[in-house]
């Protein structure tokens, strides 16, 4: 009951002309940016972070949340019309969405995407409103060793579960932890990795890191692979859905929501796994299996609902535990620290009105997104025709402006260029960006909690272990690490024996049916 009261108070804070305008601007910008291949909500939030330095934290986070959802919506448009996902979580949408568009059903694909995202986002935000405070109350009882273990789990999860290569994931995490060490030791005051430079004596600003890695790195990568010819845009028309489309879509919307939100709320969460599971589920349950691979509406409705429900779920660990599970949540977490707000279990207690206003703004943003996306889908499609040289030149300008405004020193521009080159090299060698960002943000906190745990134990390393929760977390970490080497092969052999032969357990692509692979996203978030 208290949650409902707090949520009503949050709506009271959001339903002001100024905040509604910010939500509308955030939704519009997020959608417009989301439809551009390679520019996702993480880069947009990173670019706009410096602009909000003079804004109240509540207003800034309302805009960020609107951009977050807007980017998720916009990513489906480019997936459906161009077969080029703007975000990695939109890859599955492109499989059936682009086939529907080529078959003259782009309007129906965009409509089921927008309405499904609205349904899933609303249900997911309700889950956030009731689950996050409960998780925060539980987290208050945790000590330094439990937090140390949870952060280690977050590091292992984002590197070993979400990435395609564990070695690359751990390499990116190591780089992020190294960047997080730059500056003064918080206890001894000794300089670390500053090389005698006073410009980084206080550490490297997270805004400069985020903008450099995301925006500048992406711009350099696109410039190195620039194609003069823009992709073919399929005419959209006015989105609408017939009776049969509604009948075939509403169940996938609900199933996608049920898959997406729990995955988003996990420390090893994300939208890639639940969207793929949603697609597989709909392919198994459909009454029209012959349409899969040729443009099945269930293959768009389910993954898109799962994508947006996962987006709401990612805010649960971010708000209650201070743990980001994707790049955009990591940048939003950086925004909290920029305003001097300590993310974690005490956030609901210390900054309750701000958090509930943020949650209420998600409902407002969802409604605004539905109103915008249905009638304006043809307009968003026209944005896909912007020449990339002009697009990324503007991005570099705003990136440099944001880096300079962070501290007001030109030294940040040098750092921005260096971090941009690092982001380019990471894309060149397929290193995921998320472990680096998580390492920069959580690395100092991991050091702080670890030191506190050791101080309480008198320097004995046993202070980092002990207790049922800590032991369980470390057991999960070991399971994650050994799963692909020891357990997964045994499971596969057991399944193969139960099925009779390996070929029956794992059908070939000819047996499953072939589908056209969507074009790979140019985004650096992997």
């Amino acid at each position: 009951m208290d949650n409902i009261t707090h949520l009503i108070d949050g709506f009271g804070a959001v339903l002001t002309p100024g905040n509604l305008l910010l939500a509308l601007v955030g939704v519009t910008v997020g959608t417009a940016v989301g439809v551009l291949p390679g520019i996702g909500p993480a880069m947009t939030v990173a670019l706009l972070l410096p602009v909000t330095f003079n804004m109240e934290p509540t207003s800034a986070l309302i805009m960020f949340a609107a951009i977050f959802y807007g980017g998720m919506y916009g990513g489906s448009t480019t997936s459906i019309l161009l077969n080029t996902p703007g975000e990695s979580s939109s890859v599955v949408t492109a499989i059936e969405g682009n086939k529907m568009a080529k078959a003259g059903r782009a309007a129906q694909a965009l409509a089921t995407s927008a309405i499904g995202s609205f349904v899933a986002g609303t249900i997911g935000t309700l889950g956030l409103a009731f689950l996050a405070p409960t998780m925060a109350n539980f987290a208050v009882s945790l000590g330094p060793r439990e937090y140390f273990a949870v952060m280690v789990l977050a590091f292992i999860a984002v590197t070993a579960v979400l990435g395609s290569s564990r070695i690359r994931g751990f390499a990116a995490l190591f780089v992020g932890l190294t960047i997080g060490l730059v500056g003064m030791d918080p206890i001894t005051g000794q300089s670390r990795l500053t090389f005698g430079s006073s410009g980084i004596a206080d550490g490297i600003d997270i805004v400069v890191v985020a903008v450099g890695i995301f925006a500048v790195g992406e711009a350099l990568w696109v410039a190195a692979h620039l194609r003069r010819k823009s992709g073919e845009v399929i005419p959209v028309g006015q989105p609408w859905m017939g009776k049969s489309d509604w009948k075939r879509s509403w169940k996938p919307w609900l199933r996608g929501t049920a898959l997406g939100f729990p995955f988003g709320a996990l420390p090893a969460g994300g939208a890639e796994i639940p969207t793929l599971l949603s697609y597989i589920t709909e392919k198994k349950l459909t009454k029209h299996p012959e349409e899969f691979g040729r443009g099945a509406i269930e293959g768009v409705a389910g993954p898109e609902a799962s994508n947006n429900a996962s987006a709401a779920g990612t805010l649960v660990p971010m708000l209650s535990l201070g743990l980001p599970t994707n790049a955009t949540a990591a940048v939003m977490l950086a925004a909290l620290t920029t305003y001097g707000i300590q993310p974690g279990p005490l956030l609901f207690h210390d900054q309750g009105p701000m958090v509930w206003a943020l949650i209420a703004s998600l409902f407002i943003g969802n409604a605004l997104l539905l109103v915008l996306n249905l009638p304006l889908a043809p307009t968003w499609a026209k944005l896909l025709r912007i020449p990339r040289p002009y697009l990324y030149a503007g991005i570099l300008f705003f990136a440099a402006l944001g880096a300079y405004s962070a501290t007001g020193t030109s030294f940040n521009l040098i750092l921005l260029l260096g971090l941009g080159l690092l982001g380019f090299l990471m894309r060149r060698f397929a290193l995921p960006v998320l472990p680096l960002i998580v390492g920069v943000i959580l690395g100092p906190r991991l050091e702080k909690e670890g030191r506190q745990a050791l101080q309480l134990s008198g320097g004995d390393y046993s202070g980092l272990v002990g207790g049922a929760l800590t032991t369980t977390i470390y057991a999960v970490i070991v399971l994650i690490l050994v799963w692909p080497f020891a357990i997964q092969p045994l499971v596969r052999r057991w399944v193969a024996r139960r099925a009779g032969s390996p070929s029956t357990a794992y059908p070939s692509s000819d047996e499953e049916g072939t589908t056209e692979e969507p074009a790979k996203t140019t985004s650096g978030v992997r």
Side-chain angles (χ1 to χ4, degrees):
M1 193 65 185
D2 289 339
N3 291 349
I4 298 177
T5 303
H6 292 317
L7 186 58
I8 293 174
D9 294 337
F11 274 109
V14 172
L15 294 175
T16 62
N19 286 338
L20 286 176
L21 179 62
L22 288 175
L24 180 61
V25 170
V27 163
T28 306
V29 172
T31 306
V33 169
V35 302
L36 300 172
I39 307 178
M43 185 191 299
T44 310
V45 173
L47 284 171
L48 291 178
L49 180 56
V51 180
T52 62
F53 281 161
N54 293 325
M55 295 172 57
E56 291 292 330
T58 301
S59 301
L61 288 175
I62 287 172
M63 174 178 277
F64 288 158
I67 292 170
F68 185 37
Y69 271 162
M72 293 294 178
Y73 271 105
S76 63
T77 301
T78 182
S79 296
I80 292 169
L81 298 179
L82 281 181
N83 198 33
T84 306
E87 273 284 295
S88 58
S89 55
S90 300
V91 169
V92 178
T93 303
I95 297 175
E96 301 296 330
N98 189 251
K99 295 290 178 60
M100 288 184 65
K102 288 181 178 179
R105 286 171 53 82
Q108 289 78 6
L110 289 172
T112 192
S113 170
I115 299 173
S117 297
F118 169 76
V119 171
T122 301
I123 296 175
T125 306
L126 282 172
L128 168 66
F130 289 98
L131 183 59
T134 302
M135 185 177 289
N137 292 333
F138 167 73
V140 171
S141 62
L142 304 182
R145 67 183 179 189
E146 285 83 8
Y147 272 110
F148 181 85
V150 168
M151 290 180 194
V152 173
L153 174 61
F155 288 150
I156 298 299
V158 298
T159 54
V161 176
L162 300 183
S164 59
S165 169
R166 293 184 174 219
I167 295 177
R168 292 190 180 101
F170 281 109
L173 176 64
F174 176 77
V175 173
L177 291 173
T178 303
I179 295 175
L181 287 175
V182 174
M184 303 279 274
D185 187 294
I187 295 179
T188 65
Q190 184 179 0
S191 297
R192 301 187 300 192
L193 303 177
T194 60
F195 303 102
S197 174
S198 60
I200 53 177
D202 293 330
I204 301 177
D205 195 290
I206 184 60
V207 175
V208 179
V209 176
V211 174
I213 295 295
F214 284 116
V216 179
E218 182 69 22
L220 294 176
W221 177 254
V222 171
H225 301 79
L226 189 63
R227 295 180 179 179
R228 295 293 178 183
K229 184 180 179 181
S230 59
E232 179 187 358
V233 181
I234 301 171
V236 181
Q238 292 299 324
W240 57 273
M241 291 175 62
K243 183 178 180 180
S244 63
D245 294 325
W246 280 93
K247 185 177 180 180
R248 294 176 58 180
S249 295
W250 72 271
K251 289 182 180 179
W253 290 338
L254 297 179
R255 284 192 289 261
T257 302
L259 285 171
F261 183 79
F263 269 92
L266 292 173
E272 292 81 3
I273 296 175
T275 52
L276 181 59
L277 290 177
S278 175
Y279 179 79
I280 295 172
T281 301
E282 298 309 322
K283 189 175 181 180
K284 295 291 184 183
L285 298 178
T286 183
K287 296 181 180 179
H288 307 274
E290 71 283 355
E291 293 188 16
F292 270 81
R294 298 181 176 87
I297 194 170
E298 297 93 338
V300 178
E304 271 304 297
S306 180
N307 184 16
N308 280 267
S310 177
T314 57
L315 298 179
V316 174
M318 191 203 81
L319 293 177
S320 60
L321 299 176
L323 298 178
T325 59
N326 61 26
T328 311
V331 178
M332 292 179 71
L333 194 62
L336 289 173
T337 58
T338 301
Y339 292 118
I341 299 171
Q342 182 63 41
L346 295 178
L347 184 61
F348 277 86
H349 180 269
D350 297 339
Q351 300 288 338
M354 181 197 71
V355 178
W356 287 105
L358 169 64
I359 295 175
S361 70
L362 297 177
F363 290 99
I364 304 298
N366 250 328
L368 292 175
L369 280 168
L370 185 64
V371 172
L372 277 175
N373 275 267
L374 287 178
L376 295 183
T379 304
W380 299 132
K382 292 179 181 179
L383 291 178
L384 301 174
R385 299 181 181 271
I386 296 177
R388 289 196 174 186
Y390 301 130
L391 176 65
Y392 284 93
I395 288 175
L396 287 176
F397 171 77
F398 285 107
L401 183 63
Y404 181 80
S405 63
T407 59
T409 61
S410 57
F411 184 77
N412 271 359
L413 298 178
I414 301 174
L415 281 178
L416 182 71
L417 178 60
L419 290 167
L421 291 173
L422 175 61
F424 172 81
L425 291 175
M426 292 182 69
R427 288 162 175 80
R428 169 63 182 80
F429 294 103
L431 294 175
V433 175
L434 178 57
L436 183 146
I437 298 296
V438 172
V440 173
I441 296 175
L442 294 186
R445 294 185 59 195
L446 178 76
E447 179 187 13
K448 175 186 173 184
E449 299 295 344
R451 282 184 165 184
Q452 287 184 353
L454 291 175
Q455 287 173 348
L456 292 174
S457 64
D460 190 349
Y461 285 100
S462 62
L464 298 176
V465 296
L469 179 60
T470 307
T471 304
T472 303
I473 292 174
Y474 286 130
V476 171
I477 292 173
V478 172
L479 182 63
I480 292 174
L481 292 175
V482 304
W483 171 265
F485 305 107
I487 302 176
Q488 192 174 28
L490 294 176
V491 173
R492 286 181 174 176
R493 285 196 293 268
W494 181 80
V495 172
R497 285 197 300 269
R498 290 292 297 272
S501 68
S503 60
T504 58
Y506 299 97
S508 65
S509 58
D510 294 335
E511 292 172 314
E512 287 282 357
T514 58
T515 59
E516 181 179 338
E517 288 285 340
K520 292 182 179 179
T521 177
T522 58
S523 173
V525 182
R526 303 184 188 275

